mmCIF file of all heavy atoms in Angstrom:
data_model
loop_
_atom_site.group_PDB
_atom_site.id
_atom_site.type_symbol
_atom_site.label_atom_id
_atom_site.label_comp_id
_atom_site.label_asym_id
_atom_site.label_seq_id
_atom_site.Cartn_x
_atom_site.Cartn_y
_atom_site.Cartn_z
ATOM 1 N N GLY R 337 -10.335 146.336 -124.121
ATOM 2 C CA GLY R 337 -10.745 145.141 -124.860
ATOM 3 C C GLY R 337 -12.234 145.066 -125.095
ATOM 4 O O GLY R 337 -12.792 143.974 -125.231
ATOM 5 N N LEU R 338 -12.915 146.206 -125.197
ATOM 6 C CA LEU R 338 -14.360 146.259 -125.402
ATOM 7 C C LEU R 338 -14.667 146.635 -126.850
ATOM 8 O O LEU R 338 -13.792 147.035 -127.613
ATOM 9 C CB LEU R 338 -14.978 147.291 -124.456
ATOM 10 C CG LEU R 338 -14.690 147.103 -122.960
ATOM 11 C CD1 LEU R 338 -15.179 148.320 -122.178
ATOM 12 C CD2 LEU R 338 -15.333 145.826 -122.441
ATOM 13 N N ASP R 339 -15.949 146.518 -127.226
ATOM 14 C CA ASP R 339 -16.360 146.923 -128.575
ATOM 15 C C ASP R 339 -16.124 148.413 -128.752
ATOM 16 O O ASP R 339 -16.347 149.216 -127.836
ATOM 17 C CB ASP R 339 -17.847 146.608 -128.799
ATOM 18 C CG ASP R 339 -18.109 145.111 -128.795
ATOM 19 O OD1 ASP R 339 -17.174 144.362 -129.086
ATOM 20 O OD2 ASP R 339 -19.257 144.728 -128.495
ATOM 21 N N GLN R 340 -15.717 148.795 -129.952
ATOM 22 C CA GLN R 340 -15.448 150.196 -130.230
ATOM 23 C C GLN R 340 -16.521 150.777 -131.145
ATOM 24 O O GLN R 340 -17.118 150.080 -131.949
ATOM 25 C CB GLN R 340 -14.071 150.345 -130.892
ATOM 26 C CG GLN R 340 -12.922 149.829 -130.025
ATOM 27 C CD GLN R 340 -11.588 150.002 -130.720
ATOM 28 O OE1 GLN R 340 -11.291 151.059 -131.273
ATOM 29 N NE2 GLN R 340 -10.759 148.973 -130.695
ATOM 30 N N ALA R 341 -16.756 152.065 -131.002
ATOM 31 C CA ALA R 341 -17.687 152.793 -131.864
ATOM 32 C C ALA R 341 -16.971 154.045 -132.358
ATOM 33 O O ALA R 341 -15.871 154.364 -131.925
ATOM 34 C CB ALA R 341 -18.952 153.165 -131.087
ATOM 35 N N THR R 342 -17.604 154.747 -133.267
ATOM 36 C CA THR R 342 -17.015 155.978 -133.787
ATOM 37 C C THR R 342 -18.020 157.110 -133.673
ATOM 38 O O THR R 342 -19.228 156.886 -133.649
ATOM 39 C CB THR R 342 -16.604 155.830 -135.271
ATOM 40 O OG1 THR R 342 -17.760 155.462 -136.043
ATOM 41 C CG2 THR R 342 -15.540 154.760 -135.413
ATOM 42 N N LEU R 343 -17.512 158.321 -133.592
ATOM 43 C CA LEU R 343 -18.358 159.503 -133.511
ATOM 44 C C LEU R 343 -17.792 160.548 -134.458
ATOM 45 O O LEU R 343 -16.764 161.157 -134.190
ATOM 46 C CB LEU R 343 -18.389 160.053 -132.078
ATOM 47 C CG LEU R 343 -19.296 161.266 -131.836
ATOM 48 C CD1 LEU R 343 -20.737 160.918 -132.156
ATOM 49 C CD2 LEU R 343 -19.167 161.741 -130.401
ATOM 50 N N ASP R 344 -18.462 160.715 -135.581
ATOM 51 C CA ASP R 344 -18.003 161.644 -136.602
ATOM 52 C C ASP R 344 -18.728 162.969 -136.421
ATOM 53 O O ASP R 344 -19.826 163.179 -136.931
ATOM 54 C CB ASP R 344 -18.270 161.080 -138.003
ATOM 55 C CG ASP R 344 -17.737 161.989 -139.096
ATOM 56 O OD1 ASP R 344 -16.918 162.867 -138.772
ATOM 57 O OD2 ASP R 344 -18.151 161.824 -140.259
ATOM 58 N N VAL R 345 -18.132 163.869 -135.663
ATOM 59 C CA VAL R 345 -18.742 165.161 -135.393
ATOM 60 C C VAL R 345 -17.657 166.227 -135.393
ATOM 61 O O VAL R 345 -16.579 166.032 -134.833
ATOM 62 C CB VAL R 345 -19.499 165.147 -134.047
ATOM 63 C CG1 VAL R 345 -18.589 164.777 -132.902
ATOM 64 C CG2 VAL R 345 -20.151 166.495 -133.787
ATOM 65 N N SER R 346 -17.927 167.328 -136.048
ATOM 66 C CA SER R 346 -16.926 168.383 -136.172
ATOM 67 C C SER R 346 -17.117 169.436 -135.082
ATOM 68 O O SER R 346 -18.227 169.632 -134.572
ATOM 69 C CB SER R 346 -17.037 169.058 -137.540
ATOM 70 O OG SER R 346 -18.248 169.798 -137.619
ATOM 71 N N PRO R 347 -16.035 170.131 -134.707
ATOM 72 C CA PRO R 347 -16.175 171.228 -133.742
ATOM 73 C C PRO R 347 -17.166 172.292 -134.218
ATOM 74 O O PRO R 347 -17.857 172.903 -133.406
ATOM 75 C CB PRO R 347 -14.746 171.791 -133.652
ATOM 76 C CG PRO R 347 -13.865 170.641 -134.021
ATOM 77 C CD PRO R 347 -14.642 169.879 -135.065
ATOM 78 N N TRP R 348 -17.250 172.528 -135.531
ATOM 79 C CA TRP R 348 -18.180 173.530 -136.056
ATOM 80 C C TRP R 348 -19.625 173.119 -135.790
ATOM 81 O O TRP R 348 -20.473 173.952 -135.484
ATOM 82 C CB TRP R 348 -17.950 173.747 -137.535
ATOM 83 C CG TRP R 348 -18.984 174.606 -138.191
ATOM 84 C CD1 TRP R 348 -19.779 174.297 -139.244
ATOM 85 C CD2 TRP R 348 -19.362 175.938 -137.816
ATOM 86 N NE1 TRP R 348 -20.617 175.340 -139.564
ATOM 87 C CE2 TRP R 348 -20.392 176.373 -138.701
ATOM 88 C CE3 TRP R 348 -18.942 176.818 -136.814
ATOM 89 C CZ2 TRP R 348 -20.986 177.619 -138.605
ATOM 90 C CZ3 TRP R 348 -19.554 178.072 -136.724
ATOM 91 C CH2 TRP R 348 -20.552 178.465 -137.617
ATOM 92 N N GLN R 349 -19.923 171.824 -135.915
ATOM 93 C CA GLN R 349 -21.273 171.345 -135.638
ATOM 94 C C GLN R 349 -21.653 171.628 -134.191
ATOM 95 O O GLN R 349 -22.778 172.044 -133.891
ATOM 96 C CB GLN R 349 -21.368 169.847 -135.926
ATOM 97 C CG GLN R 349 -22.759 169.262 -135.728
ATOM 98 C CD GLN R 349 -22.814 167.782 -136.069
ATOM 99 O OE1 GLN R 349 -21.826 167.204 -136.525
ATOM 100 N NE2 GLN R 349 -23.949 167.172 -135.849
ATOM 101 N N ILE R 350 -20.716 171.402 -133.283
ATOM 102 C CA ILE R 350 -20.966 171.663 -131.869
ATOM 103 C C ILE R 350 -21.085 173.166 -131.621
ATOM 104 O O ILE R 350 -21.954 173.620 -130.891
ATOM 105 C CB ILE R 350 -19.833 171.066 -131.012
ATOM 106 C CG1 ILE R 350 -19.741 169.551 -131.251
ATOM 107 C CG2 ILE R 350 -20.065 171.342 -129.535
ATOM 108 C CD1 ILE R 350 -18.459 168.948 -130.756
ATOM 109 N N ALA R 351 -20.198 173.931 -132.262
ATOM 110 C CA ALA R 351 -20.220 175.380 -132.083
ATOM 111 C C ALA R 351 -21.556 175.963 -132.535
ATOM 112 O O ALA R 351 -22.093 176.883 -131.900
ATOM 113 C CB ALA R 351 -19.070 176.018 -132.857
ATOM 114 N N LYS R 352 -22.111 175.452 -133.634
ATOM 115 C CA LYS R 352 -23.404 175.943 -134.109
ATOM 116 C C LYS R 352 -24.490 175.712 -133.069
ATOM 117 O O LYS R 352 -25.327 176.592 -132.821
ATOM 118 C CB LYS R 352 -23.775 175.246 -135.418
ATOM 119 C CG LYS R 352 -23.035 175.728 -136.637
ATOM 120 C CD LYS R 352 -23.684 175.217 -137.914
ATOM 121 C CE LYS R 352 -23.698 173.701 -137.961
ATOM 122 N NZ LYS R 352 -24.350 173.187 -139.191
ATOM 123 N N SER R 353 -24.482 174.516 -132.460
ATOM 124 C CA SER R 353 -25.488 174.218 -131.448
ATOM 125 C C SER R 353 -25.368 175.167 -130.265
ATOM 126 O O SER R 353 -26.369 175.683 -129.749
ATOM 127 C CB SER R 353 -25.345 172.762 -130.980
ATOM 128 O OG SER R 353 -26.273 172.464 -129.974
ATOM 129 N N VAL R 354 -24.127 175.409 -129.838
ATOM 130 C CA VAL R 354 -23.900 176.309 -128.706
ATOM 131 C C VAL R 354 -24.346 177.732 -129.055
ATOM 132 O O VAL R 354 -25.017 178.404 -128.264
ATOM 133 C CB VAL R 354 -22.419 176.288 -128.301
ATOM 134 C CG1 VAL R 354 -22.128 177.391 -127.277
ATOM 135 C CG2 VAL R 354 -22.045 174.929 -127.717
ATOM 136 N N LEU R 355 -23.983 178.202 -130.243
ATOM 137 C CA LEU R 355 -24.330 179.561 -130.649
ATOM 138 C C LEU R 355 -25.839 179.749 -130.745
ATOM 139 O O LEU R 355 -26.373 180.802 -130.381
ATOM 140 C CB LEU R 355 -23.673 179.888 -131.994
ATOM 141 C CG LEU R 355 -22.160 180.097 -131.965
ATOM 142 C CD1 LEU R 355 -21.617 180.216 -133.379
ATOM 143 C CD2 LEU R 355 -21.798 181.325 -131.138
ATOM 144 N N ILE R 356 -26.542 178.723 -131.227
ATOM 145 C CA ILE R 356 -27.994 178.830 -131.388
ATOM 146 C C ILE R 356 -28.698 178.769 -130.046
ATOM 147 O O ILE R 356 -29.476 179.661 -129.688
ATOM 148 C CB ILE R 356 -28.518 177.724 -132.317
ATOM 149 C CG1 ILE R 356 -28.023 177.965 -133.754
ATOM 150 C CG2 ILE R 356 -30.053 177.683 -132.288
ATOM 151 C CD1 ILE R 356 -28.279 176.807 -134.686
ATOM 152 N N PHE R 357 -28.425 177.699 -129.272
ATOM 153 C CA PHE R 357 -29.223 177.432 -128.082
ATOM 154 C C PHE R 357 -28.746 178.157 -126.831
ATOM 155 O O PHE R 357 -29.464 178.196 -125.836
ATOM 156 C CB PHE R 357 -29.289 175.927 -127.825
ATOM 157 C CG PHE R 357 -29.974 175.193 -128.940
ATOM 158 C CD1 PHE R 357 -29.289 174.287 -129.733
ATOM 159 C CD2 PHE R 357 -31.303 175.426 -129.219
ATOM 160 C CE1 PHE R 357 -29.918 173.623 -130.770
ATOM 161 C CE2 PHE R 357 -31.941 174.774 -130.255
ATOM 162 C CZ PHE R 357 -31.249 173.866 -131.032
ATOM 163 N N LEU R 358 -27.533 178.724 -126.870
ATOM 164 C CA LEU R 358 -27.068 179.545 -125.762
ATOM 165 C C LEU R 358 -26.836 180.979 -126.212
ATOM 166 O O LEU R 358 -27.265 181.922 -125.560
ATOM 167 C CB LEU R 358 -25.781 178.982 -125.159
ATOM 168 C CG LEU R 358 -25.169 179.860 -124.056
ATOM 169 C CD1 LEU R 358 -26.107 179.956 -122.864
ATOM 170 C CD2 LEU R 358 -23.813 179.335 -123.632
ATOM 171 N N GLY R 359 -26.160 181.148 -127.352
ATOM 172 C CA GLY R 359 -25.767 182.481 -127.779
ATOM 173 C C GLY R 359 -26.930 183.421 -128.009
ATOM 174 O O GLY R 359 -26.917 184.577 -127.552
ATOM 175 N N ILE R 360 -27.975 182.954 -128.706
ATOM 176 C CA ILE R 360 -29.114 183.825 -129.015
ATOM 177 C C ILE R 360 -29.835 184.285 -127.746
ATOM 178 O O ILE R 360 -30.028 185.493 -127.543
ATOM 179 C CB ILE R 360 -30.081 183.128 -129.990
ATOM 180 C CG1 ILE R 360 -29.403 182.960 -131.362
ATOM 181 C CG2 ILE R 360 -31.382 183.911 -130.120
ATOM 182 C CD1 ILE R 360 -30.232 182.176 -132.360
ATOM 183 N N PRO R 361 -30.265 183.364 -126.848
ATOM 184 C CA PRO R 361 -30.956 183.854 -125.649
ATOM 185 C C PRO R 361 -30.045 184.626 -124.710
ATOM 186 O O PRO R 361 -30.503 185.539 -124.012
ATOM 187 C CB PRO R 361 -31.484 182.568 -124.993
ATOM 188 C CG PRO R 361 -30.632 181.478 -125.527
ATOM 189 C CD PRO R 361 -30.271 181.884 -126.919
ATOM 190 N N LEU R 362 -28.741 184.293 -124.684
ATOM 191 C CA LEU R 362 -27.814 185.027 -123.834
ATOM 192 C C LEU R 362 -27.683 186.473 -124.306
ATOM 193 O O LEU R 362 -27.743 187.416 -123.506
ATOM 194 C CB LEU R 362 -26.443 184.346 -123.842
ATOM 195 C CG LEU R 362 -25.349 184.992 -122.986
ATOM 196 C CD1 LEU R 362 -25.740 185.014 -121.523
ATOM 197 C CD2 LEU R 362 -24.025 184.264 -123.170
ATOM 198 N N LEU R 363 -27.531 186.672 -125.612
ATOM 199 C CA LEU R 363 -27.432 188.019 -126.158
ATOM 200 C C LEU R 363 -28.724 188.788 -125.926
ATOM 201 O O LEU R 363 -28.699 189.970 -125.534
ATOM 202 C CB LEU R 363 -27.116 187.953 -127.650
ATOM 203 C CG LEU R 363 -27.015 189.292 -128.387
ATOM 204 C CD1 LEU R 363 -25.884 190.142 -127.813
ATOM 205 C CD2 LEU R 363 -26.824 189.066 -129.886
ATOM 206 N N ALA R 364 -29.860 188.124 -126.142
ATOM 207 C CA ALA R 364 -31.145 188.787 -125.936
ATOM 208 C C ALA R 364 -31.332 189.180 -124.473
ATOM 209 O O ALA R 364 -31.822 190.278 -124.167
ATOM 210 C CB ALA R 364 -32.286 187.873 -126.389
ATOM 211 N N GLY R 365 -30.952 188.291 -123.563
ATOM 212 C CA GLY R 365 -31.074 188.597 -122.146
ATOM 213 C C GLY R 365 -30.191 189.754 -121.723
ATOM 214 O O GLY R 365 -30.608 190.638 -120.961
ATOM 215 N N TYR R 366 -28.966 189.766 -122.226
ATOM 216 C CA TYR R 366 -28.032 190.846 -121.900
ATOM 217 C C TYR R 366 -28.536 192.188 -122.435
ATOM 218 O O TYR R 366 -28.550 193.201 -121.717
ATOM 219 C CB TYR R 366 -26.658 190.529 -122.481
ATOM 220 C CG TYR R 366 -25.658 191.656 -122.343
ATOM 221 C CD1 TYR R 366 -25.051 191.923 -121.106
ATOM 222 C CD2 TYR R 366 -25.332 192.457 -123.424
ATOM 223 C CE1 TYR R 366 -24.152 192.967 -120.970
ATOM 224 C CE2 TYR R 366 -24.434 193.504 -123.294
ATOM 225 C CZ TYR R 366 -23.840 193.751 -122.067
ATOM 226 O OH TYR R 366 -22.943 194.780 -121.935
ATOM 227 N N LEU R 367 -28.962 192.196 -123.699
ATOM 228 C CA LEU R 367 -29.444 193.441 -124.296
ATOM 229 C C LEU R 367 -30.712 193.939 -123.600
ATOM 230 O O LEU R 367 -30.920 195.149 -123.453
ATOM 231 C CB LEU R 367 -29.704 193.241 -125.788
ATOM 232 C CG LEU R 367 -28.455 192.988 -126.648
ATOM 233 C CD1 LEU R 367 -28.859 192.731 -128.096
ATOM 234 C CD2 LEU R 367 -27.470 194.146 -126.556
ATOM 235 N N SER R 368 -31.563 193.009 -123.172
ATOM 236 C CA SER R 368 -32.784 193.409 -122.455
ATOM 237 C C SER R 368 -32.436 194.142 -121.169
ATOM 238 O O SER R 368 -33.026 195.185 -120.849
ATOM 239 C CB SER R 368 -33.633 192.182 -122.126
ATOM 240 O OG SER R 368 -34.130 191.585 -123.293
ATOM 241 N N ARG R 369 -31.487 193.593 -120.413
ATOM 242 C CA ARG R 369 -31.113 194.241 -119.156
ATOM 243 C C ARG R 369 -30.449 195.595 -119.409
ATOM 244 O O ARG R 369 -30.757 196.579 -118.724
ATOM 245 C CB ARG R 369 -30.198 193.342 -118.328
ATOM 246 C CG ARG R 369 -29.803 193.975 -116.993
ATOM 247 C CD ARG R 369 -29.151 193.007 -116.062
ATOM 248 N NE ARG R 369 -30.108 192.121 -115.414
ATOM 249 C CZ ARG R 369 -30.809 192.435 -114.312
ATOM 250 N NH1 ARG R 369 -30.692 193.629 -113.769
ATOM 251 N NH2 ARG R 369 -31.630 191.565 -113.779
ATOM 252 N N VAL R 370 -29.546 195.652 -120.369
ATOM 253 C CA VAL R 370 -28.883 196.924 -120.662
ATOM 254 C C VAL R 370 -29.913 197.980 -121.073
ATOM 255 O O VAL R 370 -29.898 199.111 -120.569
ATOM 256 C CB VAL R 370 -27.825 196.744 -121.773
ATOM 257 C CG1 VAL R 370 -27.307 198.110 -122.237
ATOM 258 C CG2 VAL R 370 -26.674 195.892 -121.271
ATOM 259 N N TRP R 371 -30.812 197.603 -121.982
ATOM 260 C CA TRP R 371 -31.828 198.553 -122.423
ATOM 261 C C TRP R 371 -32.769 198.932 -121.282
ATOM 262 O O TRP R 371 -33.071 200.120 -121.069
ATOM 263 C CB TRP R 371 -32.647 197.967 -123.572
ATOM 264 C CG TRP R 371 -33.837 198.825 -123.898
ATOM 265 C CD1 TRP R 371 -33.858 199.941 -124.684
ATOM 266 C CD2 TRP R 371 -35.171 198.666 -123.396
ATOM 267 N NE1 TRP R 371 -35.120 200.484 -124.715
ATOM 268 C CE2 TRP R 371 -35.945 199.724 -123.934
ATOM 269 C CE3 TRP R 371 -35.773 197.730 -122.555
ATOM 270 C CZ2 TRP R 371 -37.298 199.862 -123.653
ATOM 271 C CZ3 TRP R 371 -37.125 197.871 -122.261
ATOM 272 C CH2 TRP R 371 -37.870 198.923 -122.804
ATOM 273 N N GLY R 372 -33.257 197.927 -120.551
ATOM 274 C CA GLY R 372 -34.227 198.184 -119.493
ATOM 275 C C GLY R 372 -33.677 199.077 -118.407
ATOM 276 O O GLY R 372 -34.339 200.037 -117.973
ATOM 277 N N GLU R 373 -32.448 198.794 -117.937
ATOM 278 C CA GLU R 373 -31.877 199.585 -116.856
ATOM 279 C C GLU R 373 -31.488 200.978 -117.340
ATOM 280 O O GLU R 373 -31.546 201.948 -116.574
ATOM 281 C CB GLU R 373 -30.676 198.856 -116.255
ATOM 282 C CG GLU R 373 -31.059 197.586 -115.522
ATOM 283 C CD GLU R 373 -29.907 197.012 -114.717
ATOM 284 O OE1 GLU R 373 -28.796 197.588 -114.772
ATOM 285 O OE2 GLU R 373 -30.114 195.991 -114.035
ATOM 286 N N THR R 374 -31.062 201.084 -118.597
ATOM 287 C CA THR R 374 -30.692 202.392 -119.134
ATOM 288 C C THR R 374 -31.918 203.268 -119.359
ATOM 289 O O THR R 374 -31.929 204.461 -119.025
ATOM 290 C CB THR R 374 -29.918 202.231 -120.462
ATOM 291 O OG1 THR R 374 -28.745 201.455 -120.241
ATOM 292 C CG2 THR R 374 -29.517 203.589 -121.021
ATOM 293 N N ALA R 375 -32.962 202.692 -119.913
ATOM 294 C CA ALA R 375 -34.149 203.475 -120.276
ATOM 295 C C ALA R 375 -35.107 203.684 -119.107
ATOM 296 O O ALA R 375 -35.718 204.758 -118.985
ATOM 297 C CB ALA R 375 -34.882 202.783 -121.425
ATOM 298 N N LYS R 376 -35.260 202.652 -118.259
ATOM 299 C CA LYS R 376 -36.291 202.715 -117.221
ATOM 300 C C LYS R 376 -35.746 202.601 -115.798
ATOM 301 O O LYS R 376 -36.458 202.900 -114.839
ATOM 302 C CB LYS R 376 -37.304 201.574 -117.441
ATOM 303 C CG LYS R 376 -38.036 201.630 -118.782
ATOM 304 C CD LYS R 376 -39.094 202.705 -118.795
ATOM 305 C CE LYS R 376 -39.955 202.600 -120.050
ATOM 306 N NZ LYS R 376 -41.053 203.580 -120.047
ATOM 307 N N GLY R 377 -34.515 202.123 -115.653
ATOM 308 C CA GLY R 377 -33.955 201.939 -114.319
ATOM 309 C C GLY R 377 -34.081 200.497 -113.845
ATOM 310 O O GLY R 377 -34.943 199.738 -114.300
ATOM 311 N N ARG R 378 -33.211 200.096 -112.891
ATOM 312 C CA ARG R 378 -33.192 198.716 -112.402
ATOM 313 C C ARG R 378 -34.478 198.351 -111.669
ATOM 314 O O ARG R 378 -34.959 197.225 -111.798
ATOM 315 C CB ARG R 378 -31.979 198.495 -111.495
ATOM 316 C CG ARG R 378 -31.943 197.124 -110.832
ATOM 317 C CD ARG R 378 -30.596 196.779 -110.239
ATOM 318 N NE ARG R 378 -29.619 196.510 -111.301
ATOM 319 C CZ ARG R 378 -28.388 196.048 -111.040
ATOM 320 N NH1 ARG R 378 -27.995 195.823 -109.807
ATOM 321 N NH2 ARG R 378 -27.556 195.818 -112.045
ATOM 322 N N THR R 379 -35.030 199.279 -110.917
ATOM 323 C CA THR R 379 -36.254 198.969 -110.172
ATOM 324 C C THR R 379 -37.382 198.583 -111.130
ATOM 325 O O THR R 379 -38.078 197.583 -110.932
ATOM 326 C CB THR R 379 -36.681 200.167 -109.314
ATOM 327 O OG1 THR R 379 -35.647 200.460 -108.366
ATOM 328 C CG2 THR R 379 -37.976 199.849 -108.571
ATOM 329 N N TRP R 380 -37.590 199.406 -112.171
ATOM 330 C CA TRP R 380 -38.636 199.071 -113.152
ATOM 331 C C TRP R 380 -38.341 197.742 -113.826
ATOM 332 O O TRP R 380 -39.250 196.917 -114.007
ATOM 333 C CB TRP R 380 -38.717 200.163 -114.219
ATOM 334 C CG TRP R 380 -39.678 199.824 -115.331
ATOM 335 C CD1 TRP R 380 -41.011 200.082 -115.372
ATOM 336 C CD2 TRP R 380 -39.359 199.133 -116.554
ATOM 337 N NE1 TRP R 380 -41.559 199.590 -116.542
ATOM 338 C CE2 TRP R 380 -40.564 199.009 -117.285
ATOM 339 C CE3 TRP R 380 -38.184 198.626 -117.098
ATOM 340 C CZ2 TRP R 380 -40.613 198.376 -118.530
ATOM 341 C CZ3 TRP R 380 -38.226 197.994 -118.340
ATOM 342 C CH2 TRP R 380 -39.431 197.877 -119.048
ATOM 343 N N TYR R 381 -37.070 197.523 -114.198
ATOM 344 C CA TYR R 381 -36.704 196.313 -114.929
ATOM 345 C C TYR R 381 -36.995 195.062 -114.099
ATOM 346 O O TYR R 381 -37.560 194.080 -114.611
ATOM 347 C CB TYR R 381 -35.218 196.357 -115.293
ATOM 348 C CG TYR R 381 -34.756 195.181 -116.115
ATOM 349 C CD1 TYR R 381 -34.952 195.142 -117.496
ATOM 350 C CD2 TYR R 381 -34.131 194.088 -115.515
ATOM 351 C CE1 TYR R 381 -34.543 194.053 -118.252
ATOM 352 C CE2 TYR R 381 -33.720 192.997 -116.250
ATOM 353 C CZ TYR R 381 -33.921 192.987 -117.619
ATOM 354 O OH TYR R 381 -33.516 191.901 -118.364
ATOM 355 N N GLU R 382 -36.623 195.092 -112.816
ATOM 356 C CA GLU R 382 -36.753 193.886 -111.994
ATOM 357 C C GLU R 382 -38.140 193.731 -111.381
ATOM 358 O O GLU R 382 -38.552 192.609 -111.094
ATOM 359 C CB GLU R 382 -35.675 193.882 -110.912
ATOM 360 C CG GLU R 382 -34.267 193.816 -111.487
ATOM 361 C CD GLU R 382 -33.214 193.471 -110.458
ATOM 362 O OE1 GLU R 382 -33.519 193.583 -109.244
ATOM 363 O OE2 GLU R 382 -32.097 193.107 -110.863
ATOM 364 N N GLU R 383 -38.854 194.815 -111.178
ATOM 365 C CA GLU R 383 -40.159 194.713 -110.529
ATOM 366 C C GLU R 383 -41.328 194.764 -111.508
ATOM 367 O O GLU R 383 -42.445 194.368 -111.155
ATOM 368 C CB GLU R 383 -40.310 195.833 -109.487
ATOM 369 C CG GLU R 383 -39.326 195.708 -108.335
ATOM 370 C CD GLU R 383 -39.516 196.788 -107.279
ATOM 371 O OE1 GLU R 383 -40.490 197.584 -107.424
ATOM 372 O OE2 GLU R 383 -38.727 196.831 -106.335
ATOM 373 N N THR R 384 -41.094 195.251 -112.723
ATOM 374 C CA THR R 384 -42.172 195.331 -113.710
ATOM 375 C C THR R 384 -41.923 194.426 -114.914
ATOM 376 O O THR R 384 -42.784 193.621 -115.286
ATOM 377 C CB THR R 384 -42.356 196.782 -114.199
ATOM 378 O OG1 THR R 384 -42.636 197.620 -113.074
ATOM 379 C CG2 THR R 384 -43.502 196.873 -115.202
ATOM 380 N N PHE R 385 -40.741 194.552 -115.518
ATOM 381 C CA PHE R 385 -40.455 193.807 -116.744
ATOM 382 C C PHE R 385 -40.252 192.312 -116.477
ATOM 383 O O PHE R 385 -40.861 191.463 -117.153
ATOM 384 C CB PHE R 385 -39.222 194.392 -117.428
ATOM 385 C CG PHE R 385 -38.842 193.669 -118.696
ATOM 386 C CD1 PHE R 385 -39.568 193.852 -119.873
ATOM 387 C CD2 PHE R 385 -37.758 192.803 -118.722
ATOM 388 C CE1 PHE R 385 -39.225 193.178 -121.035
ATOM 389 C CE2 PHE R 385 -37.396 192.131 -119.880
ATOM 390 C CZ PHE R 385 -38.138 192.323 -121.038
ATOM 391 N N LEU R 386 -39.410 191.974 -115.506
ATOM 392 C CA LEU R 386 -39.111 190.553 -115.265
ATOM 393 C C LEU R 386 -40.348 189.746 -114.865
ATOM 394 O O LEU R 386 -40.513 188.609 -115.339
ATOM 395 C CB LEU R 386 -38.013 190.406 -114.210
ATOM 396 C CG LEU R 386 -36.605 190.826 -114.648
ATOM 397 C CD1 LEU R 386 -35.600 190.570 -113.534
ATOM 398 C CD2 LEU R 386 -36.193 190.092 -115.920
ATOM 399 N N PRO R 387 -41.239 190.273 -114.007
ATOM 400 C CA PRO R 387 -42.455 189.495 -113.717
ATOM 401 C C PRO R 387 -43.323 189.238 -114.947
ATOM 402 O O PRO R 387 -44.068 188.264 -114.993
ATOM 403 C CB PRO R 387 -43.190 190.355 -112.685
ATOM 404 C CG PRO R 387 -42.111 191.127 -112.007
ATOM 405 C CD PRO R 387 -41.117 191.432 -113.096
ATOM 406 N N LEU R 388 -43.227 190.108 -115.960
ATOM 407 C CA LEU R 388 -44.000 189.914 -117.184
ATOM 408 C C LEU R 388 -43.418 188.796 -118.052
ATOM 409 O O LEU R 388 -44.155 187.980 -118.614
ATOM 410 C CB LEU R 388 -44.060 191.213 -117.990
ATOM 411 C CG LEU R 388 -44.923 192.351 -117.407
ATOM 412 C CD1 LEU R 388 -44.784 193.596 -118.270
ATOM 413 C CD2 LEU R 388 -46.384 191.917 -117.330
#
Side-chain angles (χ1 to χ4, degrees):
L338 304 171
D339 294 335
Q340 300 180 46
T342 58
L343 183 61
D344 183 16
V345 58
S346 69
W348 172 237
Q349 183 178 356
I350 301 165
K352 284 193 300 179
S353 178
V354 171
L355 288 172
I356 292 170
F357 297 115
L358 175 64
I360 293 175
L362 180 61
L363 178 62
Y366 173 76
L367 293 177
S368 294
R369 181 168 282 276
V370 170
W371 171 83
E373 292 191 358
T374 301
K376 299 285 189 176
R378 175 165 289 187
T379 299
W380 175 88
Y381 183 82
E382 297 194 344
E383 295 182 5
T384 302
F385 179 76
L386 289 183
L388 289 176

